[in-house]
Amino acid sequence: MASHGLLYDGCNFFRQRLVLSTLSGKRVKIKSIRSKDDNPGLRDFEASFIRLLDKVTNGSTIEINQTGTVLFYQPGLLYGGSVEHDCNTQRSVGYYLEALLMLAPFMKTSLKATLRGVTNDHIDPTVDVLKSTALPLMKKFGIDGEGFDLKVVKRGMAPGGGGEVVFTCPVRRTIRPVQLTDPGKIKRIRGVAYSVRVSPQMANRIVESARSVLNQFIPDIYIYTDHMKGANSGKSPGFGLTLVAETLNGTFLSAEMSSMPPGQGDPILPEDLGRDCGKLLLEEVYRGGCVDSSNQSLALLLMTLGQQDVSKVLLGPLSPYTIQFLKHIRDFFQIMFKIEVQKPSEDERKGGDKVLMTCVGVGYSNINKTLK
């Protein structure tokens, strides 16, 4: 390993590298970012992400060469405070928020971030899913309190955007280790069917078709309809559904779908969207574990940064993104997880194979936090 920090190739896992670099204080250099592409270098949404990082930190050095194919990042101190950012509409606010969730507890002053842009699209986790799964997950690690909240002020669908989200998070000195090994059975399903700039009837049609799938399994289903009007509805039409299954032990599994932006791909009927999303939720329940597949890396990061004690979390099958994240955790924090595969027996009906992840935290303590 060269003395100038870590060296990486390519544009993949861009956020992972910068977030881990910021937390560990290790410099990182990423080269050949889309260097073979017709349009080489960083995309606008990545540049926007770097600007957001620059806003929440103090004293970061960011150097990018002229073509944008090489990036050098020397992290500063996480400062926090009140931040406003216009996210690039190529990706949704979820893209930026996922990274902020990882950084927010370790700021100097508690964070209040106002992010504007696309709140719901079909690529990134939508704001609704992060609100209903990532926040409860962070509470398990001891990150909670008065000011821990994620509000959707305005919705904005792709491609126009125009949505607005306010995320507030208190700072924590240390993260508490967790033992999440038994998810328990599903006790209820909640959801939000949202529609903007289309007929409000769309949301009701989604709800009906989603219920037709899920009612076969559990009676306690409630799906809210959220139809935003006027200035709060953003700039583009669209609709979608977020479903969250809550287990007896308070873990959350989620699935979501949203309509394609006008003119891209095949248009989808609300009935089909509701039905497909219901099936996606069943798929997620089958995968199981205490954390759903979109929040695996967040859980693993918080385990890594916990006090020097053993943390255990039971996950469903690891997604490729999570596997890469584990490699990065090894690079930045020298932490290796013990991975045990658990195969549920046939008669148990516990879904697919599970993975029990165990690690000892690095005892990361928030050096940025001011002592009062």
Side-chain angles (χ1 to χ4, degrees):
M1 200 62 72
S3 60
H4 64 259
L6 294 140
L7 185 65
Y8 288 109
D9 262 11
C11 64
N12 264 350
F13 311 109
F14 181 75
R15 286 178 305 167
Q16 285 189 13
R17 288 165 185 167
L18 293 189
V19 165
L20 288 171
S21 159
T22 310
L23 287 169
S24 64
K26 290 186 177 159
R27 289 177 264 192
V28 65
K29 185 176 184 182
I30 303 174
K31 61 180 182 32
S32 36
I33 300 174
R34 302 193 182 89
S35 47
K36 302 272 196 307
D37 206 269
D38 296 344
N39 176 9
L42 290 169
R43 293 281 175 269
D44 292 347
F45 65 88
E46 289 163 332
S48 174
F49 179 73
I50 296 172
R51 280 197 288 278
L52 176 62
L53 266 188
D54 195 38
K55 282 177 189 171
V56 295
T57 58
N58 187 2
S60 299
T61 315
I62 300 154
E63 293 167 17
I64 302 171
N65 71 346
Q66 264 180 324
T67 50
T69 51
V70 180
L71 166 89
F72 172 76
Y73 176 66
Q74 164 132 25
L77 291 174
L78 280 163
Y79 190 77
S82 196
V83 176
E84 291 196 13
H85 187 65
D86 291 324
C87 303
N88 191 285
T89 52
Q90 290 170 355
R91 298 294 288 261
S92 85
V93 168
Y95 175 85
Y96 301 89
L97 205 53
E98 273 190 304
L100 274 188
L101 286 169
M102 292 178 170
L103 298 171
F106 309 105
M107 304 277 178
K108 183 180 170 95
T109 55
S110 48
L111 178 72
K112 177 181 186 234
T114 308
L115 304 176
R116 296 188 187 88
V118 176
T119 56
N120 304 76
D121 72 358
H122 55 282
I123 314 168
D124 297 298
T126 60
V127 181
D128 305 276
V129 151
L130 290 173
K131 182 180 171 118
S132 48
T133 58
L135 268 60
L137 173 67
M138 289 170 75
K139 285 180 181 164
K140 289 213 168 24
F141 286 89
I143 304 162
D144 59 354
E146 290 294 291
F148 189 42
D149 193 24
L150 177 55
K151 275 199 200 74
V152 185
V153 184
K154 300 176 185 170
R155 274 190 196 284
M157 300 291 288
E164 185 177 312
V165 179
V166 178
F167 171 55
T168 52
C169 180
V171 287
R172 283 287 166 268
R173 185 109 191 120
T174 51
I175 296 289
R176 101 175 150 227
V178 295
Q179 306 280 329
L180 301 175
T181 48
D182 178 23
K185 289 194 164 31
I186 305 285
K187 67 173 175 183
R188 59 172 168 215
I189 294 174
R190 294 287 176 266
V192 178
Y194 53 87
S195 55
V196 289
R197 299 191 172 268
V198 293
S199 151
Q201 207 48 45
M202 290 287 194
N204 301 346
R205 286 162 62 187
I206 295 174
V207 172
E208 236 159 83
S209 59
R211 289 194 71 116
S212 68
V213 174
L214 300 170
N215 263 339
Q216 302 165 30
F217 302 99
I218 189 171
D220 186 357
I221 303 174
Y222 199 91
I223 302 173
Y224 299 87
T225 54
D226 177 6
H227 180 72
M228 286 202 167
K229 295 190 181 74
N232 292 350
S233 65
K235 296 176 181 164
S236 303
F239 52 86
L241 173 64
T242 300
L243 290 172
V244 178
E246 186 184 344
T247 67
L248 290 167
N249 295 348
T251 63
F252 296 84
L253 304 169
S254 67
E256 60 177 345
M257 277 189 85
S258 62
S259 58
M260 290 299 232
Q264 288 179 26
D266 298 329
I268 184 169
L269 279 170
E271 282 79 8
D272 297 348
L273 183 132
R275 203 174 51 245
D276 294 350
C277 190
K279 287 178 181 164
L280 276 178
L281 183 71
L282 298 177
E283 166 79 19
E284 195 61 62
V285 171
Y286 175 79
R287 294 172 68 112
C290 294
V291 180
D292 64 352
S293 42
S294 60
N295 289 312
Q296 285 176 348
S297 46
L298 175 63
L300 294 174
L301 177 75
L302 292 172
M303 285 166 72
T304 306
L305 299 175
Q307 292 158 15
Q308 290 179 329
D309 200 353
V310 179
S311 280
K312 285 185 184 181
V313 171
L314 186 71
L315 300 178
L318 299 179
S319 65
Y321 188 80
T322 309
I323 292 166
Q324 187 61 43
F325 191 73
L326 286 167
K327 292 177 181 168
H328 281 140
I329 283 181
R330 189 189 57 201
D331 290 351
F332 284 98
F333 288 106
Q334 287 78 49
I335 285 279
M336 306 270 273
F337 281 77
K338 181 174 165 210
I339 303 176
E340 298 163 71
V341 178
Q342 298 187 344
K343 290 189 186 302
S345 58
E346 288 296 309
D347 53 341
E348 266 191 299
R349 298 180 68 177
K350 284 270 181 76
D353 295 353
K354 307 285 186 285
V355 187
L356 184 65
M357 308 291 286
T358 314
C359 83
V360 177
V362 289
Y364 185 89
S365 79
N366 182 354
I367 48 168
N368 306 317
K369 187 175 181 227
T370 39
L371 293 170
K372 296 214 168 50

